[in-house]
Amino acid sequence: MSEEVKPESVSLYPASAAATPEQEVVCIFGTGDLGRSLGQRLLQSGYRLVYGSRKPHSCGPIPPGAQVMSHEAAAQSTSLVFVCVHREHYDFLETLAPQLNGKFLVDVSNNLEKNMYPEANAEYLQRLIPGAHVVKAFNTLSAWALQNGPSDANRQVYLCGNNPEAKQAVAVISTKLGFTVQDRGSLSAARELEDFPLQLFPEWRLPMRLTVGLTAFFFFYLLTRDVIYAYVNEGRDISFRIMMSLANKVFPSVSLILLSLCYLPGVIAGFFQLYRGTKYKRFPDWLDRWMLCRKQLGLIALALASLHVLYTLIIPIRYYVRFRLAGSTISQIKNNKTSSFDTTMAWRTDSYYSIGALGFGLYLLLGISSLPSVSNALSWREFSFIQSKLGYLTLFFCTFHTYLYGWDRFLYVSQYKWYSPPGYMLCLVVPSLVLVFKLLLLLPCVDKSLSRIRQGWERTDPENDSKKKSLLA
Ligand code: NAP
């Protein structure tokens, strides 16, 4: 049976008096969702728990083993209080200022949108009770996550505050609950912490926009060249190709461009450093932002490459393909003629598929090594070997795979429908440029200079140097 202390048996004496020495008492104001989940974990971790509620006699369900009291009595029972109440209701705390003086107050609150109030909730709480030491913490965890315990994806408690002892006390509790702590500094960082839960995939925005833009471009480009051209010039309706053939051209094209866009900023950064002769100057903002979303670009590229593989594997079961195959077999039988085996074609298709399969295998390896659970187990050198060296090899294989797909098609005028180059040619531009630029950076003389710069060497400007010397003289 639950040992929950029912409202009839509400305890109004300081709980610390009844606590065993090893059982530290912690107080939570508010018996709502977060208060309940947090309380449950605190009890499981060996704390004694006291709730402060407006209605100690008729509050909602609380975890078994906890006590409920009035706010005043609960505040007196401990030195640390979690305020699990919405900011809109903080006014009542002002009347508790004498009881909360010198106590550690943990503000867990969030807002519905950014910049709702002129000051952060935690700073507001500190202003209401100047005698208390406010710490902002736990607001980035949901009630659900707290109930289920820390998992790989949700292990961190961010905290900030002005009082080191208060922060230390909250850090100890967080660690006991199984979380890792990240101290974000003074209470002025509270607004930043309060904005965390309001973010909506910020690092995915640019990669998603790029993906949608490139997909739309290739779709309409190929639709015009493949389907509309056939209809206008030959009167053939091959619109059914939109579903499979067209999609299977759009996915790999966008995937290859996105993969090359993961490596292009690194190459640009290399040229910037060579040009400036130092690594200590900041990159332009756009390059910084681009570098920060490389993982997301790579993951979307991998998803599209996987779709390409899937679409390719189901080609043989397509009605259109089976129809064409049967037709060509029947016509050979009718004409009593067997087409000869084309060794060049066999080499071409086998190389094309084989290089594609190798590229996709490496693509998968890149994706797996970017999972936090895998990358955490790798040393920095191992991680950069996979992401950089194997990454370039993946880009090379996938680009080569596309060149093999094109083979000698670029020589035929019929390929340039309405004077436009085939889609595969367009998607080869960026990856080919990235590979050429990377090769330039790998030239021994360039590589040597870049390595020196990355180890901290700086090119000195002779004009500036002489000016400095004359000033010193
Ligand atoms: P909730 O379920 O609505 O509970 C809030 C509690 O505040 C109520 O149960 C009530 O407890 C107390 N309360 C309500 N009105 C009050 C008033 N006028 N005066 C004093 N106390 C009042 O909310 P919640 O989801 O637990 O969230 C509590 C805080 O945690 C919020 O600031 C929220 O932003 C933050 N937070 C929540 C989550 C989450 O997943 N839920 C995650 C992160 C942060 P009594 O009836 O016992 O007084």
Side-chain angles (χ1 to χ4, degrees):
M1 264 305 282
S2 139
E3 281 176 44
E4 182 179 327
V5 179
K6 291 287 169 202
E8 294 77 47
S9 58
V10 164
S11 168
L12 289 175
Y13 59 85
S16 51
T20 53
E22 65 274 9
Q23 267 195 310
E24 213 178 304
V25 184
V26 176
C27 171
I28 295 179
F29 278 0
T31 55
D33 295 337
L34 193 79
R36 261 198 322 273
S37 307
L38 181 63
Q40 203 172 328
R41 290 217 56 82
L42 285 165
L43 283 165
Q44 282 167 0
S45 304
Y47 286 96
R48 179 137 186 240
L49 184 61
V50 177
Y51 279 103
S53 171
R54 292 165 301 165
K55 308 165 280 183
H57 294 276
S58 59
C59 69
I62 54 160
Q67 287 177 292
V68 198
M69 304 175 182
S70 66
H71 290 120
E72 291 83 354
Q76 277 163 3
S77 66
T78 173
S79 60
L80 194 144
V81 180
F82 285 93
V83 184
C84 294
V85 173
H86 290 280
R87 173 199 168 123
E88 294 73 28
H89 308 309
Y90 277 6
D91 323 0
F92 82 98
L93 291 164
E94 239 178 334
T95 57
L96 296 173
Q99 288 89 344
L100 294 173
N101 240 342
K103 307 248 155 135
F104 302 155
L105 289 190
V106 187
D107 179 293
V108 300
S109 66
N110 286 318
N111 296 320
L112 291 177
E113 53 192 72
K114 286 186 184 181
N115 303 321
M116 257 179 95
Y117 301 101
E119 63 195 329
N121 298 352
E123 288 174 315
Y124 171 56
L125 182 61
Q126 185 66 81
R127 191 159 56 79
L128 284 179
I129 309 159
H133 307 293
V134 175
V135 176
K136 180 91 209 173
F138 284 94
N139 67 306
T140 53
L141 298 170
S142 66
W144 183 85
L146 273 166
Q147 216 164 14
N148 289 294
S151 62
D152 254 6
N154 213 339
R155 284 200 131 270
Q156 286 202 317
V157 166
Y158 296 95
L159 59 84
C160 68
N162 295 335
N163 184 289
E165 282 117 62
K167 283 205 284 190
Q168 176 63 19
V170 181
V172 169
I173 292 185
S174 313
T175 314
K176 274 197 189 164
L177 297 191
F179 294 98
T180 49
V181 176
Q182 236 205 61
D183 188 342
R184 304 292 287 221
S186 69
L187 207 58
S188 57
R191 187 181 280 282
E192 195 192 328
L193 297 198
E194 286 167 15
D195 284 347
F196 272 4
L198 294 173
Q199 290 177 346
L200 189 68
F201 305 119
E203 68 279 18
W204 284 88
R205 259 182 232 154
L206 182 62
M208 284 309 289
R209 279 184 196 147
L210 256 173
T211 309
V212 171
L214 283 170
T215 306
F217 169 76
F218 273 99
F219 177 77
F220 288 113
Y221 187 78
L222 294 170
L223 182 76
T224 313
R225 273 182 48 90
D226 293 5
V227 181
I228 301 179
Y229 180 88
Y231 189 73
V232 173
N233 276 29
E234 298 151 24
R236 283 191 303 141
D237 177 12
I238 51 167
S239 51
F240 67 91
R241 289 201 186 172
I242 292 175
M243 296 310 289
M244 284 290 302
S245 310
L246 213 73
N248 205 19
K249 283 182 183 176
V250 173
F251 294 147
S253 305
V254 179
S255 172
L256 184 59
I257 295 182
L258 290 182
L259 182 66
S260 54
L261 289 181
C262 292
Y263 293 96
L264 186 55
V267 172
I268 296 177
F271 280 106
F272 258 116
Q273 289 176 332
L274 277 173
Y275 174 72
R276 292 167 165 178
T278 177
K279 69 165 186 176
Y280 296 112
K281 271 192 192 159
R282 268 184 63 91
F283 292 128
D285 275 353
W286 56 267
L287 189 56
D288 261 347
R289 265 187 285 139
W290 190 353
M291 295 237 231
L292 286 176
C293 65
R294 281 181 295 179
K295 178 177 164 178
Q296 289 70 24
L297 282 172
L299 287 176
I300 299 176
L302 173 60
L304 293 173
S306 310
L307 282 176
H308 172 48
V309 171
L310 212 64
Y311 272 58
T312 306
L313 287 177
I314 54 177
I315 283 177
I317 58 169
R318 286 178 66 200
Y319 165 75
Y320 168 71
V321 174
R322 283 187 289 130
F323 180 84
R324 287 288 296 266
L325 269 178
S328 109
T329 313
I330 291 165
S331 91
Q332 284 187 42
I333 294 168
K334 269 187 181 167
N335 300 332
N336 197 19
K337 208 173 126 198
T338 315
S339 50
S340 56
F341 184 78
D342 184 346
T343 313
T344 315
M345 183 59 103
W347 263 100
R348 175 184 156 183
T349 49
D350 277 9
S351 319
Y352 163 65
Y353 287 124
S354 161
I355 298 292
L358 278 173
F360 185 64
L362 287 175
Y363 229 134
L364 284 178
L365 186 68
L366 292 182
I368 292 170
S369 69
S370 72
L371 294 173
S373 51
V374 179
S375 58
N376 287 347
L378 298 171
S379 71
W380 170 243
R381 216 170 153 208
E382 289 162 344
F383 182 75
S384 72
F385 171 78
I386 294 177
Q387 292 296 328
S388 173
K389 302 270 187 316
L390 293 189
Y392 276 109
L393 195 61
T394 313
L395 183 62
F396 170 74
F397 278 142
C398 295
T399 310
F400 191 33
H401 168 72
T402 315
Y403 273 110
L404 286 171
Y405 167 81
W407 199 256
D408 59 355
R409 285 184 215 196
F410 69 98
L411 294 173
Y412 299 102
V413 180
S414 61
Q415 290 288 313
Y416 300 87
K417 296 171 188 167
W418 281 331
Y419 305 105
S420 63
Y424 81 88
M425 272 193 183
L426 291 189
C427 82
L428 275 171
V429 176
V430 187
S432 305
L433 281 176
V434 173
L435 289 172
V436 170
F437 288 148
K438 181 65 187 171
L439 273 178
L440 287 178
L441 288 180
L442 287 177
L443 290 175
C445 51
V446 183
D447 184 45
K448 208 172 142 198
S449 305
L450 194 57
S451 303
R452 281 176 72 198
I453 290 170
R454 286 182 176 165
Q455 277 162 11
W457 176 83
E458 282 188 283
R459 190 172 53 231
T460 43
D461 183 351
E463 212 174 285
N464 262 353
D465 255 20
S466 58
K467 269 185 199 163
K468 269 185 209 163
K469 273 181 196 157
S470 62
L471 274 175
L472 282 172

